[in-house]
């Protein structure tokens, strides 16, 4: 990429606010754009207020596409509107979040616009005028370095890797209205229902803290122990594969090769041995705590803190200790860091912009 | 219902891999290759639809000679026919190029539904399905956990952040499947015997009317082992003391609480 190139971000929003990943992409875009501009694309219905938020977090230009046909997200509507916009502007680099909507849209756009695309990027950087991305492959047994050629480049970036761009009060952006000439007949998917997964207070892929349970938990009832700790920590609850296969928890809990890839700040693995297929989904976590009674468990080989002990003894103690800490922190006037991306997520209000 | 399922032959995830000396790939010798895990669920879903509504299941792969084994596995599960796009030029394609080639092959098979795994477990890209849908001019639904066919349309459930989305999609369509969609069957003995006798149609790019392979827009510079995670600190001893230490460490050293 020539040093003089604008960077575009496809903004996603939920409940009328940008998702956390959007702030992360804006932060990354700012670094990559250097002296050039950061553009954000917001598509949906009733989203005019988003523009201010995107501006405050670093966008210089916000392209707003408003239409009832753009919310909720559908591939056809978004591919047409965002596709035409990108085709006209021909930016060198477009950043998209690795979310359900981002992974649905980005490859379709790449095919339509004959762009280079790299998914699951763990980093995106400009090196010697080339854009280079890294991504985990082969069940995370290797990290691939991939270089883009010339032309349009699309990077689908993993959540929770880049710090969110901070808000600067009073910062404004140029707002451009994107003409939306959608023919309803060209939209071949209809969203007939969106039902919130109630137990998911924070989606696993966005969570800063995850408390995860494995076969060592012995039964579905014991996941309540995890729920309790997670509740105090504001964490999400996940699992290895056996609890899913045994029907203790739904399949969307699963973390790993055939489950989700997560990148939290803190991952607490309870009664999980640490099979390669599980590590594939969580070994990118910044800090890993393993609680396992088997001192030989492979998870200890990668754990930042390895607690050798019985999960049924350790978990209640840990929950109590964290409760005391959180209580003390609140008494001392400290408040938990707020997470704008996960606020007001009620499922029904979900929209995937861009 | 005539269904096409795209499949890929990938290294078994159980086994360790060795990165090639030039860093541009992995050593294939000694590796066990299998039908991609998600594609197995794609084949299963196609077979279930065929069992209900009749029709045919055709497998398509683009890959080296060994990839015929992925087709054989799918045929042994119960698929009817298989197309193997095979030639050296495939090695230089990126995922968008692969989707283009698969689309060209699928255009010659009249079908109502195209199924793909949501990603392949070797390169994890999740690009081919949606790109294929674009090249075929079809609607798509990705990472689908439940699929019900209706008259001229299908209902697909997909998990999105914090919610389950139910979509109605016009057929024909491209659907990529998530693991929760079904339990894949094992190939039966008669199935394995039949699979050996079923002819696999081999196609070159020229056969598909592709004169010049689509140029790649991305280039693999190299593979490296993931950064080694240091085994950190062991905390052993009296549970209450251990937990006290742990919480202090999380707060003061790791600064994550
Ligand atoms: C194709 C394929 C894909 C797969 N994908 C995934 C995937 O995405 N995610 C995944 O997780 N797995 C996946 N697996 C399965 C994987 O290989 C392992 O079987 C699985 O991760 C093991 O889960 P576990 O650690 O919970 O169970 P186990 O390996 O049985 O370990 C249980 C652990 O709990 C400990 N324990 C028991 N009781 C206690 C106690 N009271 N206190 C403390 N510790 C205790 C034991 O010491 C043991 O280490 C996949 C496998 C295949 C073949």
């Amino acid at each position: 990429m020539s040093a003089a190139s604008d960077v575009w971000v496809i903004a996603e929003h939920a409940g009328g606010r940008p998702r956390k990943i959007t702030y992360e992409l804006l932060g990354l875009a700012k670094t990559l754009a250097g002296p050039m501009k950061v553009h954000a694309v917001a598509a949906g219905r009733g989203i005019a207020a988003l523009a201010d938020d995107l501006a405050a977090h670093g966008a210089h230009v916000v392209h707003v596409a408003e239409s009832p046909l753009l919310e909720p997200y559908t591939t056809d509507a978004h591919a047409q509107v965002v596709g035409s916009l990108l085709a006209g502007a021909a930016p060198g680099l477009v950043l998209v979040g690795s979310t359900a909507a981002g992974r649905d849209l980005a490859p379709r756009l790449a095919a339509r616009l004959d762009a280079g695309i790299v998914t699951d990027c763990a980093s995106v950087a400009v090196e010697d005028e080339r854009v280079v991305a890294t991504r985990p492959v082969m069940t995370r047994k290797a990290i691939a370095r991939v270089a883009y050629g010339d032309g349009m480049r699309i990077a689908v970036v993993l959540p929770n890797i880049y710090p969110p761009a901070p808000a600067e009060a009073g910062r404004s952006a140029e707002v451009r209205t994107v003409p939306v000439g959608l023919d309803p007949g060209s939209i071949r998917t209809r969203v007939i229902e969106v039902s919130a997964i109630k137990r998911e207070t924070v989606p696993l892929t966005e969570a800063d803290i995850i408390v995860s349970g494995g076969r060592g938990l012995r039964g579905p009832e014991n996941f309540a122990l995890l729920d309790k700790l997670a509740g105090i920590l504001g964490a999400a609850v996940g699992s290895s594969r056996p609890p899913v296969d045994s029907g203790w928890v739904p399949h969307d809990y699963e973390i790993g090769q055939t489950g989700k890839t997560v990148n939290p700040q803190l991952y607490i693995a309870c009664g999980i041995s640490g099979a390669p297929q599980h590590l594939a989904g969580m070994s990118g976590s910044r800090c890993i705590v393993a609680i396992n009674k088997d001192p030989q468990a492979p998870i200890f080989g990668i754990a930042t803190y390895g607690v050798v002990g019985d999960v049924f003894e350790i978990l209640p103690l840990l929950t109590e200790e964290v409760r005391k800490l959180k209580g003390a922190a609140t008494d001392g006037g400290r408040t938990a860091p707020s997470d704008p991306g996960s606020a007001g997520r009620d499922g029904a209000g979900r929209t995937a912009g861009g | 219902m005539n269904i096409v399922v795209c499949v890929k032959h990938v290294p078994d995830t159980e086994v360790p891999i060795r990165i090639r000396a030039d860093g541009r790939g992995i050593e294939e010798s000694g590796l066990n290759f299998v039908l991609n895990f998600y594609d197995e669920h794609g084949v299963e879903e196609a077979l279930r639809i065929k069992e209900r509504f009749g029709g045919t299941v055709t497998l398509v792969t683009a890959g080296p000679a060994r990839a015929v084994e992925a087709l054989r596995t799918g045929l042994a599960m119960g698929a009817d026919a298989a197309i193997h796009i095979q030639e050296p030029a495939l090695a230089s394609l990126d995922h968008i190029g692969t989707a283009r080639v698969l689309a060209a092959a699928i255009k010659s098979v009249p079908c109502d539904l195209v199924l793909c795994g949501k990603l392949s477990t070797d390169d994890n890209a999740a690009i081919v399905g949606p790109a294929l849908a674009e090249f075929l001019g079809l609607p798509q639904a990705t990472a689908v956990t439940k699929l019900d066919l209706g008259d001229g349309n299908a209902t697909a459930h997909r998990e999105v952040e914090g919610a389950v989305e139910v979509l109605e999609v016009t057929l024909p369509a491209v659907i990529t499947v998530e693991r929760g969609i079904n339990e894949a069957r094992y190939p039966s003995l008669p199935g394995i015997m039949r699979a050996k006798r079923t002819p696999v149609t081999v196609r070159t790019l020229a056969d598909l009317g592709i004169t010049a392979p689509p140029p790649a827009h991305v280039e693999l510079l190299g593979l490296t082992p993931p950064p080694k995670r240091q085994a950190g600190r062991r905390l052993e001893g009296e549970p209450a003391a251990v937990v006290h230490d742990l919480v202090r460490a999380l707060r003061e050293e790791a600064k994550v609480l």
Side-chain angles (χ1 to χ4, degrees):
Chain A
M1 187 167 72
S2 88
S5 186
D6 290 351
V7 177
W8 287 51
V9 168
I10 308 297
E12 256 194 74
H13 47 96
R17 308 188 62 181
R19 296 188 83 97
K20 189 171 152 208
I21 179 74
T22 301
Y23 297 129
E24 294 169 10
L25 296 180
L26 286 170
L28 171 61
K30 197 173 168 196
T31 324
L32 293 172
M36 301 308 291
K37 286 186 171 150
V38 173
H39 292 244
V41 181
R45 169 171 46 180
I47 52 164
L50 271 184
D52 292 340
D53 203 327
L54 295 168
H57 288 84
H60 299 99
V61 183
V62 183
H63 305 261
V64 178
E66 286 246 25
S67 164
L69 295 175
L70 287 167
E71 198 166 323
Y73 167 86
T74 59
T75 318
D76 282 337
H78 282 249
Q80 286 178 63
V81 171
V82 180
S84 312
L85 178 63
L86 293 179
L93 179 60
V94 183
L95 305 179
V96 184
S98 185
T99 59
R103 287 191 299 268
D104 187 81
L105 182 67
R108 182 126 196 167
L109 286 177
R112 181 166 298 197
L113 303 170
D114 201 25
I117 179 168
V118 181
T119 52
D120 270 6
C121 298
S123 75
V124 184
V126 180
E127 298 175 10
D128 304 331
E129 306 270 295
R130 289 226 277 186
V131 180
V132 176
T134 61
R135 57 190 307 273
V137 293
M138 298 278 168
T139 328
R140 240 189 233 262
K141 288 175 201 145
I143 306 295
R145 266 167 50 81
V146 184
Y148 290 87
D150 297 333
M152 197 185 300
R153 308 167 184 88
I154 300 180
V156 184
V157 182
L158 289 170
N160 277 10
I161 303 236
Y162 286 98
E168 292 171 47
R171 203 178 171 286
S172 66
E174 179 194 340
V175 177
R176 296 188 198 162
T177 305
V178 180
V180 180
L182 278 175
D183 165 14
S186 69
I187 302 169
R188 295 162 295 177
T189 50
R190 291 156 295 281
V191 177
I192 49 185
E193 193 189 325
V194 179
S195 47
I197 302 173
K198 284 272 164 19
R199 57 176 190 280
E200 254 197 29
T201 44
V202 192
L204 271 175
T205 49
E206 293 178 10
D208 282 329
I209 304 180
I210 294 173
V211 186
S212 199
R215 200 198 312 265
L217 281 184
R218 275 197 233 129
E221 65 287 357
N222 294 324
F223 269 78
L225 294 172
L226 304 190
D227 291 337
K228 229 183 210 166
L229 176 59
I232 299 170
L233 289 171
V237 177
S239 81
S240 64
R241 183 154 159 184
V244 171
D245 285 348
S246 310
W248 304 345
V249 295
H251 95 104
D252 50 58
Y253 272 60
E254 184 177 323
I255 291 164
Q257 180 206 324
T258 50
K260 299 191 163 96
T261 299
V262 296
N263 294 290
Q265 294 291 309
L266 173 60
Y267 189 89
I268 307 179
C270 308
I272 293 178
S273 62
Q277 293 94 346
H278 187 72
L279 303 190
M282 51 64 77
S283 58
S285 308
R286 193 160 83 72
C287 176
I288 297 173
V289 172
I291 306 171
N292 197 305
K293 66 179 182 187
D294 173 10
Q296 306 300 327
I299 188 96
F300 286 130
I302 64 149
T304 325
Y305 300 106
V307 177
V308 183
D310 187 332
V311 70
F312 298 109
E313 215 172 332
I314 302 289
L315 258 182
L317 288 169
L318 180 57
T319 306
E320 201 36 52
E321 192 81 16
V322 170
R323 191 199 307 276
K324 271 193 263 167
L325 176 72
K326 291 287 168 186
T330 318
D331 294 346
R334 276 183 33 184
T335 47
S338 73
D339 168 11
S342 61
R345 185 170 296 109
D346 61 359
R350 184 200 78 93
T351 38
Chain B
M1 267 292 163
N2 294 324
I3 306 170
V4 169
V5 189
C6 297
V7 300
K8 188 176 181 186
H9 200 219
V10 298
D12 186 350
T13 59
E14 291 282 349
V15 292
I17 56 159
R18 280 172 300 137
I19 295 168
R20 261 178 12 216
D22 68 0
R24 296 287 186 111
I26 56 166
E27 292 286 356
E28 293 205 353
S29 65
L31 269 191
N32 184 30
F33 283 80
V34 294
L35 171 58
N36 175 41
F37 174 85
Y38 292 98
D39 301 347
E40 216 172 276
H41 290 285
V43 175
E44 176 66 38
E45 198 62 20
L47 294 174
R48 290 184 186 196
I49 294 168
K50 179 187 151 180
E51 281 155 12
R52 277 197 69 191
F53 300 99
T56 59
V57 175
T58 304
L59 310 174
V60 183
T61 196
R66 61 167 166 74
V68 73
E69 292 309 320
L71 298 173
R72 296 266 178 237
T73 305
L75 288 169
M77 287 170 74
D80 303 285
I83 301 172
H84 188 175
I85 310 162
Q86 192 189 331
E87 73 163 55
L90 292 181
S92 67
L93 299 182
D94 60 13
H95 293 99
I96 297 287
T98 303
R100 246 185 231 288
V101 168
L102 288 169
I106 294 169
K107 277 181 183 150
S108 67
V109 187
C111 67
D112 312 288
L113 188 62
V114 178
L115 294 173
C116 302
K118 77 159 184 179
L119 55 81
S120 53
T121 56
D122 52 353
D123 54 22
N124 243 65
I127 293 171
V128 167
L132 184 60
E134 173 70 16
F135 293 135
L136 292 171
L138 297 179
Q140 71 189 47
T142 51
V144 167
T145 53
K146 185 168 187 280
L147 185 67
D148 291 312
L149 293 194
D151 193 13
N153 58 41
T155 308
H157 291 233
R158 37 193 315 265
E159 192 199 326
V160 296
E161 287 75 19
V164 174
E165 180 181 89
V166 184
L167 274 183
E168 192 177 79
V169 54
T170 308
L171 296 181
V174 174
I175 308 285
T176 78
V177 304
E178 173 62 279
R179 110 169 171 91
I181 195 165
N182 56 41
E183 282 301 323
R185 71 193 65 187
Y186 290 106
S188 65
L189 198 56
I192 293 169
M193 302 310 288
R194 201 188 49 240
K196 284 189 180 147
R197 293 191 306 269
T198 308
V200 168
T201 309
V202 177
R203 290 267 178 272
T204 62
L205 295 191
D207 293 339
L208 300 175
I210 301 173
T211 43
H217 293 299
V218 297
E219 179 200 353
L220 176 67
L221 298 177
L223 293 174
T224 48
K228 262 239 166 304
R229 278 199 85 104
Q230 296 297 325
R233 194 136 64 77
R234 271 311 165 97
L235 303 169
E236 273 168 285
E238 199 269 313
V242 163
V243 166
H244 188 78
D245 279 359
L246 173 65
V247 170
R248 203 182 43 209
L250 290 176
R251 193 178 148 88
E252 287 164 18
E253 286 174 19
K255 299 192 179 4
V256 287
L257 282 188

